[in-house]
Amino acid sequence: MEEKKITRKKFVITSLLGTLGLVAGELIRQSHSIDNIENEVDTENKKYGMVIDLDRCIGCNACTIACKQENNTPPNIHYNVVIEKEEGEFPNVYNSFLPRVCMQCDKPPCVKVCPVGATKKQKNGIVSIDYETCIGCRYCMTACPYGARSFDFGENYYDQPNTFEASPYQEYDKIYQRGKGKAPQNSVRKCHFCSHRVDKGELPACVTACLGKARFFGDLNDPNSEVSIKAKGSWTLKSNLGTKPRTFYLGEKRDD
Amino acid sequence: MKKPLDFLKCTRRGFIAGTATIGVSLLNGKSMKSVAHDLLNFEEIKIPTCCHMCGGGTGVIATVRDGVVAKLEPNKYNPIGVCNTSLNFTENQKDGAAMCPKGLSGIMALYDPDRVKKPLLRTNPEKGINVDPKWREITWDEAFDIIVRELKKLINEDRPEALITFSENSLATSIQRDFGNLFGTPNISFHTNICSATRKAATMAVFGVDEPLGDYQNSKYMLIFGWNPLSAVKWSHLPQILLNGKSNGSKLVIIDPRYSETAAKADLWYPIIPGTDGALALAMSHVIIEENLYNQEFIENWTFGFDEYKKYLKDKTPEWAEKICGVSAKDIKSLAIEFATNQPSIADAWIGPGQQSNGFNSIRAVLLLNVLVGSVDEPGGMMMTEEFKLGESPIRISPPKKKRFDGKEKFPFGHNSGVYVETFRQLFEENGPYKLDVAFITMSNLVLSMPNTSQVVEGLKKLKFIVVNDNYLNETSNLADIVIPGTTYLERFGLVTRGINWEYVALRQPVIKPLFNQYSEAEFFIELAKRLELKDQSGQVAFSNIRYEDYLDIRLQRSKANITLDELKEAPGGVWTSPESTEYRRYEKTVIKTETKKFQFSLSNSSKNISLNYILPEYQQRRWLPDKKYPYYLISWKHITHTHSRTQNNPYLSELKDQNYLYINPMTANSLGFKDGELVGVISPFGETKAQLRFSPGMHPEVLGTEWGFGHWAFGDYAREKGFAVNQLNKFLVDEVTGQALHKEICVNIRKI
Ligand code: SF4
Ligand code: SF4
Ligand code: SF4
């Protein structure tokens, strides 16, 4: 076996649960009417948004894996995670699954702190990272209250990256191929609503694969789009922070 | 300096232009070549196929970029992943199809560097759990020569039955049967009897079909015993149809000793004592009859044995069941009334009860709830699903007359996949009807997936010659004499049919050439038959002019689809679906395939030599119960992240779940002084292993539980030395009616280490 895998670290979800355990614990939810959003958006453009229906999420992580193969993310980098939490006392038990992507905040704290302007709010609502400009300072990782960002240390699943890991793939409007020191290695990475797919008229990979059909994606500027309709009565994570997420949640409303 | 690849410096428009062709072209079974983008010199092809990371057969579209499989996505032309009835298919298709995380991780299985790439020959004659086989790579010709030599010995000694095969279910199944017939051995066996043979037997006994599935999307009440369809997802449309049912207003009720992922979505969850599902279902039936809520007309016209059943149920009161199953009499009563009055309803049970010694009767009792209320083959009821049948094999040969080694005939509802437990018990105890010398083991890790690991290993050691055909080296291949590299589902052909409620057949095809130029599993058996010059009925050398693709082509043409393989390749998504839509109440038009040609509350007395307590679905305690020394039930289940014991080396799936835990109710743990995360010894009368405890308030306090498939010691790096296997703790326990392996019938204790 000529190729061997690198040392394995404890799965990132575990560590994210650390950061996000907090988030999950203190989710402050607020009903969000679609009208509010419309006022904020640039009506000339498409403004993308995602709605995740927690009543339909079964915690399967098909989204996590679909995203991994779409964006060829290395070990420990997951643009999408599903936070699972079992609570209560037998037999009154409650289990929740919370998929977390980048919220594509309309007031993104991550953008503000970037010293080189590598991370930007695009007109279509997506918060992007320019891997070539990113200097890897990771300020944005600290600034993001959702733990949506991670740093690509250049690790691969195998010491000698396997055929798939080493093959060209697309993110944003560029083609990348993993190789020593080449972007996106040494850059910060995160979910970008699969902007390269969306540009081609496709849905994000996680939405396409979702096993529970719990995820909806589209143009929030179009009041008739499925996602706009679904977004009615939705809520957002940590809405008290004023980040104005473009990722909305339905269902599982419980008083924390 | 970080830079994207120079040759890939392209404008986005360029890239989009290159791929747009794919978007508009109708996806059909043939590879669609997009115009390669000049600047990128980059060719992208989309090829439909069917998944085989588990037996589900979900529809897949693979994207191949410059010869590398770059992406797997669901295939919305394939019912598996969309819907089980044609009536909701188009509606569901609008939301696209679905694919589970295992299927999506198929690329990492394909490009796993740990794969077996060349045939391997054992050079160390000593065999044992931790003995290094000292593999030596050999050529394909050498491998075939050695195998042919071993098989010729059996032919020369006129003992072809000394060959046995074990295989994953839906892989080269009929080719292996043909091979067995040509060679003259009856011992061709498959995985089902260590999986769901009890449910199949129970559904055959009650309905006369072997895999009915509820029309969940249109149901009003879904009552599920010991099944976790939202995590033990097999067909990727299962979550959708259940969740759609829920959003259509149906109630979902889960009966399970643990708070499963499905229970997490349920309106009600009743934790039950393992192995007592039958008692609960009988008491519900008692109430339904007592309250006159049964469907008299349906029962009169379409069922057999109601009066005896009614008589038997007389004293099966909720109070009686409460003491057995731990669900209160009051709850049982209200469950029964709700089930009967919210029509259409579905009651189903799978291998939770099924892998215990009273499973056949328990599952029948559950299924009979549907019969009582007449929710059979009705919209929103239990559907009499039947799998599409391919046409006859082109190989003409009748089965050998010899008796099977595993004594399958002795099991009144024995499954035609065989009886693995009996095979291994007899191998180990050396008391089989005759000697077995040679085994072919295809894509099956018997050492980890059979109860009673240590004796399975000893049993395998008694065979003279073992050929393992697999993608990986593992615990079983470690005992082999030759290992043949297998294919992943992305490298091989097949025709996929599954039980849905209108007929379909889908193409599985290599989306790239087999990476190591290896034979697919089916081709391996064909090549072997050719080299052995096995003759068919007419004396011709079988397969001399038939490739596997021809074989599939002929069977497809002879099927109801009546199309060629090439035509199937051309069909959208590589799928043929019947123009006839889902039909309800088929029993009104066709004969019910039970012995009495009715839906059966009771088996007929003449039935199959079965002992009397199986005529009616009587409640009997399971055989192995907790006692002072081993006070806890140990249950085990399949989690969405893994298929049995074969996916633990997949780095994506390993990141999602890289080990199993021993789940314990915190109340139980605290009373015993154990801490969350503590490493403990798990002991049964038959073995001991170590496990990491994890507190879970959703575990019944008398029950411990864990996920399957972990505890590897000889698989790849990602899989090795993580977690434990329950099969180290049980014995050769087999269901006497069906031959099913009883993985869930274990009692244990835990101790400090
Ligand atoms: S979720 Fe985090 S990374 Fe995403 S836009 Fe908001 S602050 Fe930035
Ligand atoms: S939208 Fe795309 S990038 Fe974001 S989580 Fe989903 S698959 Fe990943
Ligand atoms: S794929 Fe869908 S159902 Fe599964 S975890 Fe992700 S969001 Fe939830």
Side-chain angles (χ1 to χ4, degrees):
Chain A
M1 313 285 138
E2 66 273 20
E3 300 168 279
K4 271 290 161 218
K5 144 200 100 282
I6 52 149
T7 50
R8 276 157 274 119
K9 292 195 176 153
K10 196 86 204 112
F11 182 28
V12 73
I13 283 188
T14 340
S15 55
L16 269 164
L17 269 169
T19 4
L20 260 150
L22 292 170
V23 179
E26 57 177 62
L27 297 181
I28 299 167
R29 292 150 186 189
Q30 181 194 312
S31 195
H32 216 303
S33 105
I34 192 70
D35 304 336
N36 285 339
I37 304 154
E38 264 183 323
N39 295 338
E40 294 155 11
V41 296
D42 170 358
T43 45
E44 296 297 301
N45 288 288
K46 288 199 171 179
K47 277 261 183 172
Y48 295 115
M50 189 182 287
V51 173
I52 303 176
D53 183 351
L54 299 184
D55 284 345
R56 293 191 67 105
C57 175
I58 55 173
C60 70
N61 276 296
C63 45
T64 308
I65 304 295
C67 179
K68 286 206 75 67
Q69 54 155 327
E70 181 67 38
N71 296 301
N72 203 343
T73 51
N76 295 338
I77 295 192
H78 299 75
Y79 294 173
N80 178 95
V81 294
V82 183
I83 299 153
E84 185 176 344
K85 208 168 167 208
E86 195 186 41
E87 297 158 287
E89 241 178 63
F90 182 87
N92 302 309
V93 199
Y94 183 86
N95 200 350
S96 59
F97 307 109
L98 177 75
R100 197 253 33 229
V101 294
C102 167
M103 304 294 134
Q104 318 294 348
C105 307
D106 276 347
K107 300 248 155 59
C110 57
V111 171
K112 265 195 278 181
V113 300
C114 179
V116 292
T119 191
K120 287 203 181 78
K121 178 79 181 171
Q122 303 293 335
K123 279 205 174 116
N124 62 8
I126 293 170
V127 173
S128 63
I129 303 172
D130 181 347
Y131 296 148
E132 281 69 51
T133 310
C134 172
I135 54 169
C137 70
R138 292 172 254 176
Y139 288 168
C140 56
M141 283 172 62
T142 324
C144 170
Y146 302 99
R149 293 177 168 245
S150 29
F151 186 69
D152 189 338
F153 287 96
E155 287 185 348
N156 295 303
Y157 283 100
Y158 302 97
D159 270 353
Q160 186 79 32
N162 77 8
T163 314
F164 171 70
E165 286 183 278
S167 70
Y169 71 99
Q170 194 182 7
E171 268 188 280
Y172 302 106
D173 54 0
K174 296 207 178 69
I175 307 287
Y176 294 98
Q177 190 165 20
R178 287 187 81 71
K180 274 237 154 29
K182 283 184 192 155
Q185 304 187 32
N186 301 329
S187 302
V188 167
R189 302 180 67 177
K190 68 161 190 75
C191 158
H192 33 56
F193 275 178
C194 284
S195 64
H196 58 285
R197 289 173 64 100
V198 173
D199 285 347
K200 285 182 261 176
E202 294 171 8
L203 289 169
C206 57
V207 177
T208 304
C210 176
L211 204 49
K213 290 285 150 259
R215 302 168 86 113
F216 307 91
F217 180 85
D219 180 10
L220 283 172
N221 267 357
D222 173 1
N224 298 320
S225 69
E226 186 183 30
V227 75
S228 293
I229 294 162
K230 291 276 180 197
K232 283 179 188 146
S234 65
W235 42 270
T236 57
L237 296 180
K238 294 189 167 183
S239 57
N240 60 325
L241 299 180
T243 50
K244 301 237 178 287
R246 303 192 67 77
T247 302
F248 303 90
Y249 292 89
L250 284 175
E252 285 221 352
K253 265 201 167 169
R254 288 185 312 134
D255 298 320
D256 287 286
Chain B
M1 264 306 277
K2 297 179 298 173
K3 257 206 217 145
L5 288 177
D6 282 345
F7 78 97
L8 295 170
K9 239 188 224 159
C10 66
T11 62
R12 185 171 80 203
R13 263 179 66 217
F15 186 87
I16 295 164
T19 49
T21 351
I22 300 160
V24 289
S25 57
L26 182 66
L27 246 168
N28 60 29
K30 262 203 177 152
S31 332
M32 281 302 303
K33 290 217 159 89
S34 73
V35 188
H37 191 270
D38 296 318
L39 273 176
L40 298 173
N41 197 12
F42 195 87
E43 187 188 71
E44 208 169 79
I45 317 170
K46 300 222 174 210
I47 309 170
T49 188
C50 297
C51 188
H52 197 173
M53 288 294 278
C54 81
T58 296
V60 178
I61 306 283
T63 299
V64 182
R65 260 180 224 144
D66 277 349
V68 176
V69 183
K71 197 184 301 196
L72 302 171
E73 288 172 285
N75 174 355
K76 65 172 183 183
Y77 297 97
N78 193 319
I80 307 297
V82 180
C83 195
N84 62 332
T85 67
S86 71
L87 303 168
N88 296 112
F89 180 73
T90 331
E91 174 193 338
N92 289 13
Q93 213 183 22
K94 285 191 202 118
D95 298 328
M99 234 179 123
C100 90
K102 303 180 286 275
L104 291 162
S105 301
I107 297 178
M108 286 311 228
L110 173 70
Y111 294 120
D112 188 335
D114 286 341
R115 283 185 66 180
V116 180
K117 302 175 185 76
K118 293 230 171 80
L120 302 172
L121 179 69
R122 179 181 208 98
T123 62
N124 184 358
E126 194 203 328
K127 288 184 179 178
I129 267 195
N130 277 317
V131 179
D132 179 359
K134 304 220 166 87
W135 296 118
R136 177 164 71 80
E137 280 189 0
I138 53 173
T139 65
W140 280 92
D141 274 331
E142 282 174 286
F144 276 119
D145 285 349
I146 297 168
I147 298 168
V148 164
R149 197 178 62 218
E150 293 298 324
L151 291 178
K152 283 240 164 101
K153 280 186 208 159
L154 303 187
I155 295 174
N156 294 339
E157 293 164 19
D158 197 19
R159 298 194 300 127
E161 70 278 7
L163 167 69
I164 187 163
T165 68
F166 305 91
S167 173
E168 151 72 9
N169 253 7
S170 38
L171 179 64
T173 314
S174 43
I175 287 282
Q176 291 189 61
R177 290 203 190 280
D178 286 339
F179 183 89
N181 293 345
L182 290 166
F183 190 79
T185 178
N187 298 315
I188 304 298
S189 49
F190 297 92
H191 154 96
T192 307
N193 65 89
I194 56 170
C195 178
S196 57
T198 320
R199 183 183 184 269
K200 284 179 197 283
T203 61
M204 283 304 287
V206 172
F207 299 122
V209 297
D210 92 335
E211 204 154 78
L213 184 70
D215 180 10
Y216 289 98
Q217 187 150 331
N218 300 304
S219 187
K220 283 277 158 292
Y221 201 88
M222 313 184 262
L223 173 64
I224 293 172
F225 293 70
W227 186 33
N228 187 12
L230 300 189
S231 185
V233 172
K234 190 168 174 188
W235 312 288
S236 288
H237 53 269
L238 275 179
Q240 263 153 281
I241 59 172
L242 265 100
L243 293 165
N244 290 353
K246 267 203 79 181
S247 26
N248 293 341
S250 173
K251 204 160 177 180
L252 175 63
V253 182
I254 299 298
I255 315 289
D256 201 305
R258 70 177 270 257
Y259 186 77
S260 66
E261 289 78 3
T262 310
K265 289 285 171 255
D267 299 279
L268 288 170
W269 164 58
Y270 291 103
I272 190 173
I273 304 273
T276 65
D277 308 71
L280 174 54
L282 292 173
M284 283 181 65
S285 302
H286 169 98
V287 175
I288 291 171
I289 292 174
E290 206 69 348
E291 302 278 326
N292 243 317
L293 294 171
Y294 56 97
N295 187 329
Q296 198 148 9
E297 197 195 317
F298 180 80
I299 288 171
E300 263 165 33
N301 291 329
W302 303 108
T303 70
F304 172 83
F306 178 65
D307 293 338
E308 291 94 311
Y309 191 47
K310 191 173 162 185
K311 216 164 102 203
Y312 171 71
L313 289 175
K314 194 88 205 136
D315 56 353
K316 304 298 172 294
T317 61
E319 290 71 23
W320 163 81
E322 175 186 274
K323 286 191 214 98
I324 297 169
C325 69
V327 179
S328 77
K330 194 172 136 260
D331 286 340
I332 297 176
K333 203 166 169 195
S334 77
L335 256 181
I337 293 171
E338 277 195 14
F339 177 81
T341 52
N342 283 289
Q343 288 301 307
S345 56
I346 301 165
D348 203 353
W350 223 282
I351 60 176
Q355 294 183 350
Q356 305 185 51
S357 54
N358 56 7
F360 177 65
N361 275 0
S362 299
I363 299 180
R364 281 163 73 209
V366 172
L367 298 172
L368 284 169
L369 288 165
N370 302 291
V371 181
L372 267 184
V373 299
S375 193
V376 178
D377 232 8
E378 291 287 336
M382 180 58 87
M383 300 288 292
M384 299 300 101
T385 309
E386 278 188 84
E387 196 169 325
F388 177 80
K389 286 190 182 56
L390 289 173
E392 247 180 34
S393 160
I395 304 303
R396 297 250 295 278
I397 181 91
S398 39
K401 300 238 159 46
K402 267 272 174 180
K403 279 245 157 77
R404 292 180 66 103
F405 180 84
D406 57 21
K408 196 208 99 183
E409 311 77 22
K410 287 181 228 144
F411 295 83
F413 279 84
H415 190 263
N416 67 4
S417 64
V419 189
Y420 281 18
V421 172
E422 278 299 281
T423 300
F424 278 91
R425 187 188 58 74
Q426 296 180 130
L427 266 176
F428 175 74
E429 292 172 2
E430 297 185 344
N431 57 4
Y434 44 80
K435 238 175 124 304
L436 291 178
D437 283 1
V438 181
F440 285 171
I441 304 173
T442 305
M443 203 175 157
S444 304
N445 189 350
L446 297 169
V447 173
L448 230 77
S449 55
M450 283 280 301
N452 200 346
T453 312
S454 58
Q455 293 185 1
V456 169
V457 168
E458 291 311 309
L460 282 171
K461 279 166 67 179
K462 301 213 162 132
L463 291 160
K464 282 197 185 134
F465 187 71
I466 298 176
V467 181
V468 161
N469 188 335
D470 210 316
N471 284 316
Y472 306 99
L473 294 178
N474 59 29
E475 293 70 25
T476 303
S477 69
N478 253 10
L479 298 159
D481 297 277
I482 282 197
V483 179
I484 299 293
T487 50
T488 65
Y489 79 88
L490 297 163
E491 300 163 285
R492 70 171 109 91
F493 272 106
L495 287 175
V496 180
T497 63
R498 293 287 180 275
I500 56 164
N501 297 300
W502 83 110
E503 296 182 291
Y504 94 103
V505 54
L507 179 67
R508 175 175 292 136
Q509 60 180 329
V511 307
I512 52 161
K513 281 205 345 235
L515 289 188
F516 320 114
N517 260 325
Q518 73 275 39
Y519 290 86
S520 75
E521 291 73 0
E523 288 163 346
F524 168 76
F525 279 101
I526 291 175
E527 181 62 25
L528 201 56
K530 283 197 330 207
R531 293 194 185 217
L532 285 161
E533 297 183 340
L534 300 178
K535 303 214 171 51
D536 67 13
Q537 228 149 253
S538 64
Q540 301 275 331
V541 174
F543 293 112
S544 55
N545 50 8
I546 300 177
R547 297 168 311 150
Y548 187 47
E549 276 183 76
D550 305 321
Y551 181 91
L552 295 177
D553 183 50
I554 294 167
R555 298 194 63 204
L556 187 59
Q557 290 194 52
R558 287 178 181 171
S559 75
K560 198 169 161 195
N562 190 19
I563 56 170
T564 64
L565 199 64
D566 281 336
E567 283 166 336
L568 187 60
K569 288 182 190 169
E570 298 285 349
V575 181
W576 174 87
T577 41
S578 167
E580 290 161 26
S581 55
T582 296
E583 254 188 276
Y584 294 97
R585 293 192 180 215
R586 265 163 303 184
Y587 55 83
E588 290 180 344
K589 292 184 202 148
T590 55
V591 183
I592 298 168
K593 291 189 197 115
T594 58
E595 203 183 354
T596 61
K597 303 194 170 47
K598 301 270 183 186
F599 298 122
Q600 303 189 135
F601 286 103
S602 156
L603 300 174
S604 79
N605 281 319
S606 66
S607 193
K608 298 193 171 188
N609 231 339
I610 201 164
S611 52
L612 287 178
N613 50 344
Y614 292 109
I615 299 289
L616 287 164
E618 289 179 28
Y619 177 70
Q620 55 216 9
Q621 272 195 335
R622 73 177 218 183
R623 277 185 269 159
W624 185 356
L625 294 165
D627 55 26
K628 274 224 176 79
K629 237 173 138 192
Y630 305 101
Y632 301 105
Y633 294 91
L634 175 62
I635 61 168
S636 54
W637 59 84
K638 181 176 176 177
H639 187 259
I640 183 81
T641 42
H642 288 284
T643 302
H644 309 316
S645 54
R646 70 175 188 245
T647 53
Q648 288 71 24
N649 203 48
N650 189 304
Y652 281 0
L653 297 174
S654 166
E655 268 194 320
L656 290 179
K657 185 177 264 309
D658 69 346
Q659 71 162 97
N660 59 341
Y661 297 91
L662 186 66
Y663 297 95
I664 186 168
N665 191 298
M667 296 188 282
T668 311
N670 290 333
S671 75
L672 300 167
F674 287 103
K675 292 200 179 58
D676 198 6
E678 189 172 340
L679 199 66
V680 298
V682 192
I683 35 174
S684 84
F686 308 99
E688 166 148 22
T689 185
K690 283 185 194 129
Q692 196 178 352
L693 281 185
R694 179 164 277 189
F695 283 14
S696 166
M699 287 304 299
H700 191 293
E702 292 165 43
V703 182
L704 306 175
T706 191
E707 299 100 345
W708 282 335
F710 296 90
H712 291 274
W713 63 86
F715 200 174
D717 281 356
Y718 272 107
R720 232 183 354 248
E721 312 297 343
K722 290 175 181 166
F724 66 101
V726 296
N727 284 333
Q728 313 252 13
L729 299 166
N730 48 10
K731 56 179 174 177
F732 287 135
L733 203 53
V734 70
D735 178 50
E736 59 184 355
V737 186
T738 64
Q740 162 82 45
L742 304 176
H743 303 275
K744 295 194 189 6
E745 191 147 319
I746 309 181
C747 297
V748 296
N749 205 349
I750 49 174
R751 62 177 181 82
K752 294 258 176 199
I753 48 172

